[in-house]
Amino acid sequence: MGIQILENAALDHINTFRISASADRYAKITKETELIALYNQGLFAAPFFVLGGGSNVLFTQNYEGLIVHMVITGKQHFIEGNYVYVTAAGGEVWNDLVWYCITHQFPGLENMALIPGSVGASPVQNIGAYGVELMDVFYSCRAFDTMTGEYVTFDKEACGFSYRDSIFKTEYKGRYIITSVTYKLHLNAAKNTSYGAIQSELELRAISNPTIRDIAEVVSHIRVEKLPDPSMIGNAGSFFKNPIISASAFDMLMKKFPNAVYYSLPNQEYKIAAGWLIEQCGWKGKQIGQVLIWPKQALVMTNAGKASGSEIYAVSEDIIQDVDSKFDISLEREVNIL
């Protein structure tokens, strides 16, 4: 039996912005051989887009092409010396993988608890939170090449990771479909509680020697406090990247705005908090039509009702222009715009 292709398929239920949109064609992928079947039918020769959890996409119109919805699941691990190698299928929910590791006492992912999305998207975006990035724990990924119809493996170096970026967003954008990811975790990894409000929340809970479960629970609590639940109000988490600027641009910024929120990076670069920039421009809590900038976190744009994707996009344009005008800093969207 061949793979089922749905026509004029509704996408409302598989994008966290809850935008009303449809796709000309839709295929749900539950096993690797189904991607080969799509290739053999010539369906990758026409426009297609890979969807995981739908938490990093904004549909501004109906999609004229094939939506490839990755729902392959499965998790396994093996221990070698001081390391554990954890492999998860691309359709696994990211947070489920985090708690799989916590349950098995494997440290390394706890700071990334409750990041929305799927495992397959994690290397594409080089996801990260609270001082930890995917590239810190990534070992390899298995991916389907839509140009050749073959499966290949990418090691860490081949992925070209940088801040919220990888080769899958640049040179190989739209070519490879990640079907599984392997993470290499050190069994005695040091815990990271220095970033954001983790330490102060641990102190509030009178926890002086936290376990990885404690850290994951605190991170989850902080995220729930600051960020809207996509099941309650449509959103895609952080809509904008934190911009990275040079030392000279940083010096100029600090002369004008000494209270700017920033993080020092290697190579004399600085990451500026995009949420702070947006808040300084008066956008935090502002509502335009059905588009609401989240009152507790200006990085998050929400669909407060029945906003269209194009309406959300238009407001994001205004935010980008305001930040550029006030700070001479260009914000980039983190979300895929379709």
Side-chain angles (χ1 to χ4, degrees):
M1 185 176 173
I3 184 170
Q4 185 181 19
I5 309 290
L6 301 180
E7 297 194 352
N8 298 316
L11 303 173
D12 312 39
H13 63 298
I14 52 172
N15 77 90
T16 59
F17 257 122
R18 290 193 277 173
I19 298 297
S20 181
S22 64
D24 286 355
R25 292 181 301 283
Y26 166 91
K28 181 186 277 190
I29 305 301
T30 59
K31 50 183 182 285
E32 287 191 346
T33 53
E34 291 170 338
L35 291 176
I36 297 172
L38 291 181
Y39 176 83
N40 289 338
Q41 291 175 45
L43 290 171
F44 290 125
F48 70 92
F49 184 78
V50 180
L51 205 59
S55 62
N56 198 41
V57 62
L58 176 65
F59 289 102
T60 59
Q61 57 191 2
N62 292 333
Y63 187 68
E64 297 178 356
L66 170 69
I67 292 290
V68 181
H69 189 199
M70 298 296 293
V71 294
I72 304 173
T73 56
K75 297 183 288 288
Q76 59 187 19
H77 68 269
F78 72 91
I79 294 172
E80 187 176 86
N82 289 323
Y83 290 94
V84 58
Y85 295 82
V86 183
T87 299
E92 282 283 345
V93 173
W94 170 260
N95 198 48
D96 290 351
L97 170 65
V98 172
W99 283 98
Y100 173 88
C101 291
I102 290 164
T103 301
H104 286 86
Q105 295 293 307
F106 303 152
L109 302 187
E110 58 276 3
N111 290 50
M112 294 189 278
L114 220 59
I115 291 179
S118 63
V119 164
S122 65
V124 179
Q125 192 73 5
N126 183 24
I127 62 170
Y130 296 99
V132 177
E133 293 196 335
L134 176 105
M135 60 189 280
D136 302 331
V137 294
F138 179 90
Y139 182 71
S140 68
C141 66
R142 178 170 161 86
F144 181 75
D145 187 343
T146 61
M147 288 181 68
T148 66
E150 297 178 346
Y151 277 94
V152 294
T153 298
F154 287 86
D155 62 15
K156 183 174 178 176
E157 188 178 350
C159 291
F161 289 124
S162 61
Y163 174 64
R164 298 296 171 270
D165 210 356
S166 72
I167 203 163
F168 303 111
K169 285 181 73 176
T170 53
E171 185 181 337
Y172 290 150
K173 185 173 184 177
R175 176 171 172 176
Y176 290 94
I177 300 174
I178 296 170
T179 55
S180 68
V181 184
T182 299
Y183 307 88
K184 182 180 180 181
L185 308 176
H186 198 294
L187 292 169
N188 301 311
K191 301 179 187 75
N192 184 344
T193 62
S194 62
Y195 205 93
I198 296 177
Q199 190 59 47
S200 57
E201 183 61 33
L202 286 168
E203 288 167 6
L204 275 176
R205 298 179 182 207
I207 298 171
S208 57
N209 187 26
T211 64
I212 58 173
R213 179 178 291 273
D214 291 331
I215 293 169
E217 287 176 350
V218 162
V219 166
S220 299
H221 169 77
I222 294 167
R223 291 185 75 92
V224 168
E225 286 281 295
K226 286 174 62 177
L227 304 174
D229 181 347
S231 68
M232 303 296 287
I233 183 165
N235 76 92
S238 298
F239 196 90
F240 301 98
K241 295 181 186 179
N242 291 319
I244 293 173
I245 63 175
S246 66
S248 58
F250 175 75
D251 289 342
M252 289 174 63
L253 177 72
M254 295 308 288
K255 280 176 186 170
K256 284 187 180 178
F257 305 97
N259 296 324
V261 178
Y262 68 91
Y263 310 97
S264 300
L265 300 175
N267 305 321
Q268 290 193 308
E269 290 184 318
Y270 295 85
K271 181 164 64 176
I272 311 301
W276 182 86
L277 297 170
I278 295 165
E279 186 175 345
Q280 300 309 301
C281 293
W283 282 97
K284 190 177 185 180
K286 193 171 183 177
Q287 184 163 347
I288 308 289
Q290 296 297 303
V291 183
L292 171 68
I293 312 306
W294 195 240
K296 293 184 179 180
Q297 173 51 273
L299 263 185
V300 180
M301 300 183 68
T302 70
N303 179 358
K306 294 282 187 184
S308 69
S310 55
E311 287 170 333
I312 295 170
Y313 181 83
V315 174
S316 76
E317 276 285 279
D318 290 342
I319 291 172
I320 289 170
Q321 287 178 16
D322 279 2
V323 169
D324 190 38
S325 176
K326 186 177 180 74
F327 296 102
D328 196 26
I329 290 176
S330 298
L331 284 185
E332 279 184 61
R333 296 176 184 87
E334 198 168 307
V335 171
N336 289 294
I337 308 296
L338 289 184

